[in-house]
Amino acid sequence: MKNIINKIIDVVSILVLLYFSFPKILGLPQSVAGFVQFESVLGINADFFRLFTGFSELAMALLIVAYMIKNKIIIGKIAYLFLLATMLSALLIEFFVRPQPVLLLVVIAIVLSIFSIYKLKSFQTNE
């Protein structure tokens, strides 16, 4: 049962990361507009931040895929530490940078953070 839960977490994490990375990388209008909000507050170029975030999300998804294929715990640890740090940063941005937090994005960030913590704890028990 634990193996099934772990695989579900891996697949859901990959799908969510890909779903959010491509609009950023492709520069879709809604994504561009969201990052323009951050530019004035953070002092970071909106396009740079958008692309950095999009490619980071893509890299995390690919790391999780690599972990699933190779089953190397070190790859999984890197992937899920990266995901946890990113989701905690996303929560900070939602609450302290965005004028009005987007509830759906907050929930997704919390769920992915919980997934990351669960996976990181499962790696400790598997060593």
Side-chain angles (χ1 to χ4, degrees):
M1 183 65 170
K2 257 188 171 180
N3 194 31
I4 293 170
I5 291 170
N6 280 319
K7 294 299 179 200
I8 290 170
I9 288 172
D10 291 339
V11 170
V12 169
S13 297
I14 290 166
L15 292 175
V16 170
L17 287 164
L18 291 176
Y19 178 81
F20 284 99
S21 68
F22 287 119
K24 292 175 183 94
I25 293 168
L26 297 174
L28 297 184
Q30 183 177 354
S31 181
V32 170
F35 280 84
V36 167
Q37 287 180 333
F38 305 147
E39 185 172 38
S40 62
V41 178
L42 296 175
I44 300 172
N45 178 278
D47 288 329
F48 171 79
F49 189 41
R50 176 181 49 80
L51 289 170
F52 175 81
T53 303
F55 281 112
S56 294
E57 291 167 343
L58 180 59
M60 283 180 271
L62 294 175
L63 277 170
I64 296 170
V65 169
Y67 161 69
M68 290 179 71
I69 292 169
K70 295 196 176 262
N71 204 25
K72 299 275 187 186
I73 290 178
I74 189 68
I75 298 172
K77 282 183 179 181
I78 292 167
Y80 281 100
L81 278 171
F82 192 14
L83 181 58
L84 180 59
T86 301
M87 291 304 107
L88 293 176
S89 299
L91 287 168
L92 288 172
I93 287 172
E94 282 298 319
F95 288 111
F96 297 109
V97 177
R98 194 183 296 273
Q100 179 69 30
V102 178
L103 183 60
L104 178 61
L105 297 179
V106 170
V107 170
I108 290 168
I110 290 170
V111 169
L112 289 177
S113 294
I114 292 168
F115 283 0
S116 297
I117 292 166
Y118 175 85
K119 290 291 290 195
L120 291 166
K121 285 189 172 283
S122 76
F123 294 141
Q124 286 179 329
T125 60
N126 289 340
E127 288 185 309

